[in-house]
Amino acid sequence: SQIELRLLAHLSRDTNLKSAFLRGEDIHRQTAAEIFQVLPLQVTPQMRRKAKIVNFGILYGISPYGLSRDMGISQKEAEEYIQRYFERYPKVKEYIDRILEEARKHRYVTTLMGRKRPLPGILVSNRKRREFAERTAINSPIQGGAADLIKLSMINLHRRLKKENSHAYIILQIHDELLLEAPENQIEMVRKIVKQEMEQVMKLSVPLIVNTKIGKNWGDMK
């Protein structure tokens, strides 16, 4: 659940962002309250949807222009939203600045498990290429870190299912989700194993929360 935002909290070490996850709060609601300057209880579904765009936009290094386009607002409003976001989560801004500095120095960034993402365009004079490389530098440790965690989860889960003599097996990985097939008489056991292995795949400064669904087919679980 919200793995990339949880990784942002872990990597940036932002106190407010970490606290929200540690308290089990709705991070999109909290961000909406901040950028729209209302109490959390006053946040409307529309405000929350817009805050979600801001939260994930920050992960991708979105510009005021890009945010204004995605939200259908003026560029000035977008600038104010981004400013309020960084006022609420100042360590996120520091993290982004630090990542860009390291990217320019080394011309690559790394994921949680040390995989490198080369950034050959980070110092070029062409503005579009350079800005694309900068956005990639901001996002890759987070998106790549999420990929690290899901792949490690799959390895651990496969081994655990074999150890428990389960007849369940992984069918498919979809982003941060896993689809498994299991005999009906092992469903609860498998659910417990999946939750344990995915939530405990790596110790972070915020909890990893895994939600499970059961159905006769994938469509039933949507």
Side-chain angles (χ1 to χ4, degrees):
S1 177
Q2 300 176 336
I3 180 61
E4 292 182 348
L5 292 173
R6 291 175 188 274
L7 280 172
L8 178 61
H10 173 74
L11 293 171
S12 68
R13 302 172 188 168
D14 186 89
T15 302
N16 289 332
L17 195 55
K18 286 170 58 177
S19 295
F21 284 119
L22 289 168
R23 292 194 298 263
E25 295 174 351
D26 181 341
I27 192 63
H28 299 312
R29 179 176 292 276
Q30 292 299 318
T31 299
E34 196 64 34
I35 64 175
F36 293 111
Q37 299 180 311
V38 298
L39 295 173
L41 290 175
Q42 296 174 313
V43 171
T44 66
Q46 184 180 19
M47 288 177 179
R48 187 184 182 278
R49 282 194 298 272
K50 289 184 176 181
K52 190 173 181 179
I53 295 172
V54 175
N55 276 329
F56 286 108
I58 295 296
L59 288 177
Y60 288 89
I62 201 166
S63 66
Y65 169 77
L67 187 62
S68 68
R69 180 195 57 207
D70 291 350
M71 295 181 68
I73 58 177
S74 70
Q75 193 164 327
K76 182 180 179 182
E77 284 180 291
E79 288 173 354
E80 290 175 354
Y81 288 171
I82 292 173
Q83 181 181 346
R84 289 174 195 162
Y85 178 95
F86 286 136
E87 286 173 355
R88 175 64 177 172
Y89 308 118
K91 290 292 184 181
V92 173
K93 181 67 167 66
E94 291 179 18
Y95 165 75
I96 289 173
D97 291 342
R98 184 172 69 251
I99 282 293
L100 289 174
E101 182 180 348
E102 292 175 0
R104 293 180 185 117
K105 179 180 179 181
H106 302 294
R107 300 194 185 187
Y108 67 81
V109 291
T110 58
T111 68
L112 276 175
M113 299 187 71
R115 292 187 298 125
K116 293 181 180 180
R117 174 66 184 264
L119 298 164
I122 196 72
L123 296 176
V124 299
S125 58
N126 182 285
R127 180 180 171 184
K128 286 188 176 181
R129 281 190 62 200
R130 186 177 67 252
E131 289 181 348
F132 174 77
E134 289 171 350
R135 291 193 298 272
T136 303
I138 294 167
N139 178 251
S140 290
I142 297 167
Q143 196 170 40
D148 288 345
L149 293 181
I150 193 68
K151 288 174 174 60
L152 187 57
S153 293
M154 292 170 72
I155 293 169
N156 293 346
L157 182 56
H158 175 72
R159 290 173 177 167
R160 176 76 183 279
L161 290 172
K162 288 185 69 176
K163 181 181 178 181
E164 300 291 343
N165 294 317
S166 170
H167 295 292
Y169 54 93
I170 301 169
I171 294 178
L172 195 62
Q173 176 228 333
I174 316 97
H175 302 300
D176 60 350
E177 298 180 15
L178 294 179
L179 183 66
L180 290 87
E181 188 169 281
E184 286 193 19
N185 64 349
Q186 293 187 348
I187 285 176
E188 286 306 320
M189 178 188 75
V190 171
R191 183 209 287 267
K192 183 178 179 181
I193 290 172
V194 168
K195 192 170 177 64
Q196 286 178 346
E197 293 299 331
M198 294 185 75
E199 290 185 343
Q200 298 171 16
V201 63
M202 186 178 289
K203 180 67 175 176
L204 302 181
S205 57
V206 295
L208 294 174
I209 303 298
V210 173
N211 301 315
T212 59
K213 293 182 180 180
I214 295 173
K216 290 290 185 181
N217 55 61
W218 193 14
D220 288 346
M221 294 183 283
K222 290 294 183 180

